[in-house]
């Protein structure tokens, strides 16, 4: 878990703002849910996923409730849906921190941030296309170019179940040829064996049955409609038959956005898909859903790699330097801030030299200097700090106009 200091924290906020603009324009409203939920909200995601079985921060509170810090947000969204029963389709977005007890490394933290959208209550493949397209647009707005979209379909729950059985047989028949880790994974979740990065598992994975051979007609038609929509919008994609997402509730479309500049172990910038059964498991009516979650931390690493969406320092219009020891800086600063300018100042009655150093470091456009002579004459010295230019003596009442004048603003 990390502290995020300025100016990096400003980049985090800008990240959220860019995301909100993209999805609000498509009719998504923000849902804010608690950081904590009843443990059961997450255990219903399924016991086949490590984020639930191994990585959850859970504890018993003072009221003897077993609760957990959220490891992801889809379950909270479905819980909120079951509780409030909004009109359909329900299009919402979220942003915030999640917690997973993972092994920390570059791009993998125990507290990490995500933004995401979910649509509950519609099965239309056009919606899968909309969801994917909004993720794609968001990356483009950040300036990222090297993002790869991979898609797959897990079919209907029945297709998926038959496929899982076929995988189980295929890998079980391999016996010891399968790595020990993958044999353990096979016990829990045969789909996840396809995720194995172990060299020795690769030939067995390459020879494994393909999900497409298990698609029902409906599932195949839904997937085709999604792909046709992506082609229509000219969003490039790669079909990856081995792409699986571990959560039990995924079906039909699944997808991942990969950062091509990142190491393959941490290259998933975000992902999502279609799911059902989760709202029902949380006490609501049977409701289809589709959505994604995009990781902020990794996406910003990708931005660094591509040299886009940098952290920007706060832009100041003026820095007030007052060496009169009185209240001139208090009044001048307040007046300018009220007029809409960003203004900082020196404190503690420090020397002219010390305050000018601060003014310089602040990056402000102007240092506004008040000494004893200026105070007596009712003036302020405006010294341009960026790109030179001569300092000007401005009558105190004219200072707002001076900072506002377009020729002075550069
Ligand atoms: P998931 O909820 O596991 O599908 O993850 C969605 C996205 O969240 C991933 O693609 C990552 O970008 C991000 N993410 C997941 N876990 C972590 C983590 N421990 N640290 C940083 N980012 C993460």
């Amino acid at each position: 878990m990390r502290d995020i200091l300025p100016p990096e924290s400003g980049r985090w906020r800008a990240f959220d703002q860019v995301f909100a603009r993209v999805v609000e324009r498509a009719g998504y409203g923000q849902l804010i849910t608690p950081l904590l939920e009843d443990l059961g909200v997450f255990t219903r995601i399924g016991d086949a996923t490590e984020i639930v079985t191994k990585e959850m921060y859970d504890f018993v509170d003072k009221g003897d409730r077993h609760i957990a810090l959220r490891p992801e947000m889809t379950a909270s969204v479905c819980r909120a849906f079951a509780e409030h029963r909004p009109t359909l389709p329900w299009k919402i977005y979220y942003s915030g921190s999640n917690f997973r007890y993972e092994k920390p490394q570059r791009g993998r933290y125990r507290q990490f941030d995500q933004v995401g959208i979910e649509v509950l209550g519609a099965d239309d493949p056009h919606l899968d296309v909309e969801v994917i397209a909004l993720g794609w647009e968001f990356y483009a707005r950040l300036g990222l170019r090297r993002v790869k979209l991979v898609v797959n379909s897990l079919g209907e729950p029945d297709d998926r179940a038959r496929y899982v059985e076929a995988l189980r047989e295929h890998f079980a028949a391999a016996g010891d040829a399968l790595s020990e880790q993958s044999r353990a994974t096979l016990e829990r979740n045969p789909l996840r064996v396809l995720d194995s990065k172990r060299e020795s598992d690769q030939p067995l994975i390459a020879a494994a049955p393909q999900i497409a051979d298990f698609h029902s007609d409906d599932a195949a038609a839904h997937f085709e409609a999604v792909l046709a929509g992506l082609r229509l919008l000219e969003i490039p994609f790669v079909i990856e038959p081995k792409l699986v997402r571990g959560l039990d509730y995924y079906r039909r479309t699944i997808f991942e956005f990969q950062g091509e500049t990142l190491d393959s172990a941490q290259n998933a910038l975000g992902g999502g898909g279609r799911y059902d059964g989760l709202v029902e498991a949380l006490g609501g009516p049977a409701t289809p859903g589709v959505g994604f979650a995009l990781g902020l931390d990794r996406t910003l690493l990708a931005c660094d790699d591509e040299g886009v969406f940098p952290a920007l320092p706060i832009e100041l219009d003026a820095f007030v330097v007052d060496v009169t020891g009185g209240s001139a800086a208090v009044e001048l600063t307040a007046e300018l801030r009220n007029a809409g300018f960003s203004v900082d100042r020196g404190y503690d009655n420090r020397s002219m030299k010390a305050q000018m150093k601060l003014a310089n470091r602040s990056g402000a456009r102007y240092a506004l200097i008040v000494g004893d002579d200026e105070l007596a004459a009712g003036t302020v010295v405006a010294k341009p700090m960026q790109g030179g230019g001569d300092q000007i003596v401005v009558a105190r009442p004219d200072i707002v106009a001076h900072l506002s004048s377009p020729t002075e603003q550069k």
Side-chain angles (χ1 to χ4, degrees):
M1 294 178 184
R2 298 154 300 153
D3 300 313
I4 309 300
L5 276 54
E8 180 67 7
S9 50
R11 180 155 84 140
W12 282 42
R13 199 173 59 247
F15 182 94
D16 274 355
Q17 285 165 346
V18 171
F19 185 73
R21 265 202 299 278
V22 168
V23 297
E24 283 184 352
R25 272 209 325 250
Y28 292 72
Q30 186 175 13
L31 174 70
I32 300 173
T33 62
L35 281 177
L36 298 170
E37 297 274 357
D38 200 85
L39 178 74
V41 169
F42 303 117
T43 52
R44 288 189 186 104
I45 297 172
D47 54 13
T49 165
E50 296 198 337
I51 71 173
V52 174
T53 51
K54 290 198 192 153
E55 298 173 358
M56 212 135 56
Y57 282 89
D58 63 308
F59 59 97
V60 176
D61 77 1
K62 294 191 199 315
D64 264 343
R65 285 171 291 246
H66 199 164
I67 55 185
L69 290 174
R70 65 185 180 206
E72 60 106 56
M73 285 191 252
T74 307
S76 299
V77 172
C78 291
R79 194 266 312 139
F81 178 87
E83 206 168 310
H84 302 286
R85 305 289 170 98
T87 48
L88 305 181
W90 199 41
K91 297 173 74 171
I92 61 94
Y93 75 94
Y94 53 75
S95 85
S97 298
N98 301 297
F99 304 84
R100 295 182 193 171
Y101 199 83
E102 297 205 72
K103 192 163 164 239
Q105 52 202 288
R106 183 180 145 91
R108 193 175 289 279
Y109 312 101
R110 289 183 172 170
Q111 175 173 348
F112 62 94
D113 269 55
Q114 287 181 337
V115 293
I117 60 178
E118 311 287 347
V119 187
L120 291 170
D123 220 10
D124 191 333
H126 290 167
L127 206 44
D128 306 39
V129 175
E130 174 174 300
V131 164
I132 294 172
L134 287 171
W136 188 256
E137 183 190 338
F138 173 58
Y139 291 121
R141 293 217 174 246
L142 294 178
L144 288 173
R145 295 281 167 272
R146 302 195 51 203
V147 178
K148 182 171 148 190
L149 166 65
V150 295
V151 297
N152 192 19
S153 170
L154 289 176
E156 297 296 334
D158 280 355
D159 310 344
R160 181 185 155 137
R162 284 186 295 119
Y163 181 54
V164 167
E165 257 338 289
L167 282 180
R168 197 190 304 279
E169 277 169 31
H170 169 78
F171 287 120
D176 289 354
L178 193 65
S179 67
E180 200 183 325
Q181 281 80 359
S182 290
R183 289 204 299 277
T185 309
L186 184 62
E187 292 281 308
R188 285 197 314 275
N189 187 349
L191 277 178
R192 276 284 172 184
V193 178
L194 298 176
D195 264 351
S196 162
K197 301 272 191 288
R198 291 187 177 266
E199 207 44 57
S200 59
D201 290 340
Q202 297 315 310
L204 283 169
I205 291 174
Q210 301 267 328
I211 181 67
D213 295 330
F214 294 78
H215 284 164
S216 61
D217 290 349
D218 276 359
H222 194 276
F223 193 38
E224 257 323 303
V226 173
L227 301 182
L230 293 176
R231 287 188 196 104
L232 192 66
L233 298 181
E234 296 179 2
I235 295 174
F237 61 84
V238 175
I239 298 175
E240 175 49 72
K242 301 275 186 307
L243 175 69
V244 292
R245 295 183 56 80
L247 308 189
D248 288 343
Y249 55 80
Y250 277 113
R251 61 167 196 146
R252 292 191 181 169
T253 319
I254 52 171
F255 56 92
E256 203 165 271
F257 296 104
Q258 297 173 350
E260 293 179 307
T261 62
L262 300 177
D263 290 348
S264 68
Q266 257 82 245
N267 72 349
L269 298 176
R274 207 165 244 299
Y275 50 90
D276 63 8
L278 194 53
V279 172
E280 235 174 327
L282 291 163
T287 311
V290 59
F292 64 59
L294 313 178
L296 170 148
D297 310 82
R298 272 180 221 173
T299 304
L300 291 182
L301 288 176
C303 288
D304 290 341
D305 288 346
E306 292 200 39
V308 298
F309 201 67
L312 298 174
I314 293 168
E315 284 189 18
L316 286 179
D317 297 302
F319 191 99
V320 174
V321 173
D322 174 8
V323 290
T324 65
S327 56
V330 175
E331 281 179 287
L332 184 56
T333 306
E335 183 181 333
L336 290 170
R337 287 179 186 162
N338 285 338
F341 294 105
S342 307
V343 184
D344 200 0
R345 52 161 289 189
Y347 300 100
D348 289 336
N349 209 15
R350 299 181 67 186
S351 71
M352 170 74 92
K353 193 171 161 207
Q355 291 194 50
M356 283 306 291
K357 209 165 151 187
L358 289 175
N360 222 344
R361 203 183 296 155
S362 76
R365 277 195 300 129
Y366 283 99
L368 301 180
I369 306 161
V370 186
D372 291 330
D373 292 350
E374 287 75 24
L375 194 61
T379 59
V380 174
V381 172
K383 181 176 164 48
M385 303 298 282
Q386 313 293 326
D390 294 334
Q391 64 182 43
I392 306 177
V393 179
V394 184
R396 177 69 182 73
D398 297 341
I399 194 72
V400 167
H402 182 75
L403 285 194
S404 311
S405 107
T407 53
E408 293 301 334
Q409 278 204 338
K410 304 236 165 66

